Amino acid sequence: MLGTELIDHEIDNPARNDAVLVEVTRGDRVESVHRGHAVICDADGEVTWSLGDPQAIIYPRSSCKMIQALPLIESGAAKAAGLGPRELALACASHQGAAIHSGPISEWLTRQGFADEDYRCGAETPRDKPTREALIRAHGAPRQIHNNCSGKHAGFLTLNRHLRGGPDYELPDHPVQQAVRAAFEEVTGEPSPFYGIDGCSAPNFATSMTGLARAMARFAAARPDGDARERAMVRLREAMVAHPELVAGEGRACTELMRAMDGVAIKTGAEGVFVAILPAQRLGVAVKITDGTTRASECAVAALLVRLGVLDPAHPATVRRMRPMLRNWRGTEVGAIRPAPALLG
Amino acid sequence: MLGTELIDHEIDNPARNDAVLVEVTRGDRVESVHRGHAVICDADGEVTWSLGDPQAIIYPRSSCKMIQALPLIESGAAKAAGLGPRELALACASHQGAAIHSGPISEWLTRQGFADEDYRCGAETPRDKPTREALIRAHGAPRQIHNNCSGKHAGFLTLNRHLRGGPDYELPDHPVQQAVRAAFEEVTGEPSPFYGIDGCSAPNFATSMTGLARAMARFAAARPDGDARERAMVRLREAMVAHPELVAGEGRACTELMRAMDGVAIKTGAEGVFVAILPAQRLGVAVKITDGTTRASECAVAALLVRLGVLDPAHPATVRRMRPMLRNWRGTEVGAIRPAPALLG
């Protein structure tokens, strides 16, 4: 395992010191609870608020796609390939394989002379309902471009062409992933203690909750007239904010909540991770639900964005995540998902 | 709320005193954890082993369908309607709406003079993949018979005809649900402190973990030559064991694990509940994952069934639940779901 010797944290139990963040009710009783860690960092990389353990080590999963996209810009590969905000938003996306996602990514690939077979992310059934149902009706098979990470991998392919690396760009010791690792450790401000292989076959570098929140705060505080790193960060966060529909898709939390806010970029990750970049406040947010559940990470990050004053608690997109009025198959309201009191402050 | 005054437990936090039951790993590190409660009761209703809090109050959800089916038999309604083991297995089922499920239930309804509109369970997209995809290709809409609870509701309709109740058989104060409540409190050995409305619109009566395990132990210890209650319990558990494919469906944990065992009946419930009835050992098992996750309840109950000597740890159905070798979109092994050491004993 790469770098397991670097840090000697007691990391075998991410549940250590976690806190109740979200409650699921039925009738007027709590039926299930979700625990986790939540951290807010400022532009100096200092923790300004936390719940749970800010030192907990986690896999950020897809929440760190904007970090993974930094070498694409900083290497000059994005400029050489003529990538604009739409492609950069897609490089940061966990999209659901709708035509608005696969169309531009397909054009991007074709322009670069790549084909679906060059991907290393694997084929995934599109999560977009109309696209998925059309595929079923046509007796079609999903392709790698439908994979929710295909924009990130288009970025890896583009960076790889620039670096003249071999075709196995997903391997941890490949120049593409080594560039990602270097950027990751720089922006988190910590050596990554270990990595795991992500759903899309790329390595996913672990970091502390504080490291992840600190990285998001750096994205938040980055200046358009700063150094190359800062300028790359500004381009990525602005691409996400300009194209929320490309970062996830219709009905998804990232898309709906970004549309409901002004200039705030947010990103989900598998196994209950969520991050937020707040440029006006120069703050970064990281959430990890210990049991890995998305319904809870969405609720928790929405609650924190409300608490930080950037999200209207009455906005329908907020209400859907913070108190969705769980309904059964007949539409009867049976319960709710709500932030735990400690999260509301 | 019905009966909230009956018990003065401190029940607002089901996470209280829970224990780590399942770990999800990526690489060689734990990425997520699932906590919960697990209880084993013997034929005398005594707790013989537990992890977490045996006094925790939970909604059993669909894990108690065999209890909800007791009045159907004990009232004489099942006999009057000529129901056999297949219908009784379907009455206890959370099925996935395949033809093997909706076919016999539809015949049962038609024989009784009922139609889809008489249901109160709501329409649900069938979980069975071929059935779901055929429905999409035909541009069809799911009906109430596709609801995973439609067998239970066919039982409610049949009982209701026998009791000559009004059409709203799903309401908590209706004779059908009052009969269910009486049976529930008798077999759990406790007054139910409150109820919630389930996904299928029927009331779901709460009980302690011990009450649920005790009820399953009573099913396990019931004798074919016992009293009417015992004989009804024997018929239901034997119907489940005889028709595991009707209780859930192909690929599902209930179906695959029952096929892998000899005479043991098991049943899943939403929000991380699982129960088991072990007739040869005269034991009942109840599991609740505090965060409500099915991947964890399946893993935990499989581990307990192995521990109790009724499930082969090397059986493919066991391996799929206890250490599924999580694979990513390209088929690469990236981690595992495994029981926590305390569960393995």
Side-chain angles (χ1 to χ4, degrees):
Chain A
M1 219 58 178
L2 185 68
T4 46
E5 76 289 354
L6 287 176
I7 291 189
D8 190 25
H9 288 313
E10 184 189 336
I11 44 181
D12 275 338
N13 190 350
R16 193 165 56 102
N17 299 327
D18 58 3
V20 172
L21 300 187
V22 173
E23 298 171 337
V24 181
T25 67
R26 183 163 298 265
D28 54 1
R29 303 293 178 146
V30 176
E31 179 170 21
S32 301
V33 299
H34 297 282
R35 283 172 276 212
H37 312 286
V39 177
I40 302 176
C41 271
D42 66 16
D44 298 324
E46 298 298 316
V47 175
T48 61
W49 177 90
S50 70
L51 197 57
D53 184 359
Q55 293 311 312
I57 304 292
I58 66 157
Y59 290 114
R61 306 296 299 275
S62 286
S63 77
C64 72
K65 276 174 174 163
M66 54 284 248
I67 303 176
Q68 292 173 304
L70 286 171
L72 173 66
I73 298 178
E74 295 171 0
S75 66
K79 186 173 184 185
L83 304 186
R86 299 177 68 85
E87 287 84 2
L88 294 181
L90 287 162
C92 300
S94 296
H95 66 74
Q96 49 195 22
I100 59 160
H101 308 116
S102 54
I105 297 173
S106 183
E107 282 172 33
W108 170 6
L109 280 185
T110 306
R111 258 195 337 262
Q112 292 279 301
F114 293 118
D116 206 68
E117 309 84 76
D118 295 312
Y119 270 132
R120 293 289 186 274
C121 49
E124 179 188 0
T125 301
R127 301 181 196 190
D128 178 68
K129 197 178 171 196
T131 308
R132 188 176 67 244
E133 296 193 346
L135 200 64
I136 289 168
R137 291 189 184 114
H139 294 268
R143 289 175 297 131
Q144 297 199 79
I145 201 167
H146 293 122
N147 188 303
N148 79 86
C149 300
S150 71
K152 179 178 81 173
H153 281 251
F156 286 159
L157 282 167
T158 302
L159 174 61
N160 192 29
R161 161 148 304 170
H162 197 77
L163 298 178
R164 301 173 188 277
D168 298 328
Y169 66 83
E170 84 286 7
L171 297 182
D173 58 357
H174 188 282
V176 164
Q177 302 306 333
Q178 285 299 306
V180 168
R181 183 193 175 118
F184 187 88
E185 295 188 334
E186 286 160 18
V187 299
T188 58
E190 301 171 352
S192 173
F194 55 87
Y195 68 87
I197 300 303
D198 210 334
C200 69
S201 291
N204 193 252
F205 299 104
T207 182
S208 70
M209 287 294 298
T210 297
L212 186 58
R214 183 187 293 131
M216 295 304 124
R218 288 186 177 168
F219 270 88
R223 299 156 302 176
D225 58 351
D227 61 17
R229 163 80 24 102
E230 289 190 74
R231 294 197 305 276
M233 285 176 155
V234 170
R235 286 190 67 192
L236 289 166
R237 80 173 189 232
E238 291 188 348
M240 293 172 72
V241 167
H243 300 287
E245 74 285 359
L246 298 184
V247 175
E250 293 309 322
R252 295 271 301 281
C254 287
T255 299
E256 291 194 354
L257 293 175
M258 279 200 281
R259 281 176 178 159
M261 297 183 289
D262 185 15
V264 176
I266 65 172
K267 183 72 191 69
T268 191
E271 292 293 329
V273 184
F274 227 118
V275 299
I277 298 167
L278 287 72
Q281 292 77 7
R282 296 161 55 90
L283 293 175
V285 175
V287 169
K288 159 73 181 180
I289 302 298
T290 320
D291 59 63
T293 309
T294 299
R295 68 179 181 185
S297 60
E298 292 182 354
C299 178
V301 82
L304 286 175
L305 293 167
V306 168
R307 183 183 175 130
L308 289 167
V310 294
L311 181 64
D312 176 3
H315 192 288
T318 315
V319 172
R320 271 196 286 280
R321 269 83 206 182
M322 284 183 61
R323 196 174 181 90
M325 309 294 173
L326 296 177
R327 293 180 186 279
N328 68 13
W329 299 111
R330 286 177 81 203
T332 308
E333 189 184 326
V334 293
I337 298 179
R338 66 187 186 201
L343 202 59
L344 293 171
Chain B
M1 218 60 180
L2 184 68
T4 47
E5 76 287 357
L6 288 175
I7 291 189
D8 189 26
H9 287 314
E10 184 190 335
I11 44 182
D12 275 339
N13 190 349
R16 192 166 57 103
N17 299 326
D18 59 2
V20 172
L21 299 186
V22 173
E23 298 172 337
V24 180
T25 67
R26 183 163 298 265
D28 54 2
R29 303 294 177 147
V30 175
E31 180 171 20
S32 300
V33 300
H34 297 283
R35 282 172 277 212
H37 312 287
V39 177
I40 303 176
C41 271
D42 65 18
D44 298 323
E46 298 298 317
V47 175
T48 62
W49 176 91
S50 71
L51 197 57
D53 183 0
Q55 293 311 311
I57 304 290
I58 67 157
Y59 290 114
R61 306 296 298 276
S62 285
S63 76
C64 72
K65 276 174 174 164
M66 53 285 249
I67 303 176
Q68 292 172 304
L70 285 171
L72 174 66
I73 298 178
E74 295 170 1
S75 66
K79 187 174 183 183
L83 303 186
R86 299 176 68 85
E87 287 84 2
L88 295 181
L90 287 162
C92 300
S94 296
H95 65 74
Q96 49 197 22
I100 59 161
H101 308 117
S102 54
I105 297 173
S106 183
E107 282 174 32
W108 170 7
L109 280 185
T110 306
R111 254 192 343 257
Q112 292 279 300
F114 293 117
D116 205 68
E117 309 83 75
D118 296 312
Y119 270 131
R120 293 290 186 272
C121 50
E124 179 188 0
T125 302
R127 302 181 195 188
D128 179 67
K129 195 179 172 197
T131 308
R132 187 175 67 244
E133 296 193 347
L135 201 64
I136 289 168
R137 291 190 183 114
H139 294 267
R143 289 175 297 131
Q144 298 199 81
I145 201 167
H146 293 122
N147 187 304
N148 78 88
C149 300
S150 71
K152 179 177 81 174
H153 281 251
F156 286 159
L157 282 166
T158 302
L159 173 61
N160 192 29
R161 161 147 304 170
H162 196 78
L163 298 178
R164 301 175 187 278
D168 298 327
Y169 67 82
E170 83 286 7
L171 297 182
D173 58 356
H174 188 282
V176 164
Q177 302 307 332
Q178 286 299 306
V180 167
R181 183 192 173 116
F184 188 87
E185 295 188 334
E186 286 160 18
V187 300
T188 58
E190 300 171 351
S192 173
F194 55 87
Y195 68 87
I197 301 303
D198 211 333
C200 68
S201 290
N204 194 253
F205 299 104
T207 182
S208 70
M209 287 294 300
T210 297
L212 186 58
R214 183 187 295 130
M216 295 305 124
R218 288 185 178 169
F219 271 88
R223 297 156 303 174
D225 58 352
D227 61 18
R229 163 86 16 110
E230 288 189 75
R231 294 197 306 275
M233 286 177 154
V234 170
R235 285 189 68 193
L236 289 166
R237 80 173 190 232
E238 291 187 348
M240 293 172 70
V241 168
H243 300 288
E245 73 286 358
L246 298 184
V247 175
E250 293 308 321
R252 295 270 300 282
C254 287
T255 300
E256 291 194 354
L257 293 175
M258 279 199 281
R259 281 176 177 160
M261 296 183 289
D262 185 16
V264 176
I266 64 172
K267 183 71 190 71
T268 191
E271 292 294 328
V273 184
F274 228 118
V275 299
I277 297 166
L278 288 72
Q281 292 77 7
R282 296 162 52 91
L283 293 176
V285 176
V287 169
K288 159 75 181 178
I289 302 298
T290 320
D291 59 63
T293 308
T294 299
R295 69 179 180 184
S297 61
E298 292 182 354
C299 178
V301 81
L304 286 175
L305 293 167
V306 167
R307 182 183 174 133
L308 290 167
V310 293
L311 181 63
D312 177 2
H315 192 288
T318 315
V319 172
R320 272 195 285 280
R321 270 84 206 181
M322 285 183 59
R323 198 176 178 89
M325 310 293 173
L326 295 177
R327 292 179 186 280
N328 69 11
W329 300 112
R330 286 177 82 204
T332 308
E333 189 184 328
V334 293
I337 299 181
R338 66 186 186 201
L343 203 59
L344 293 171

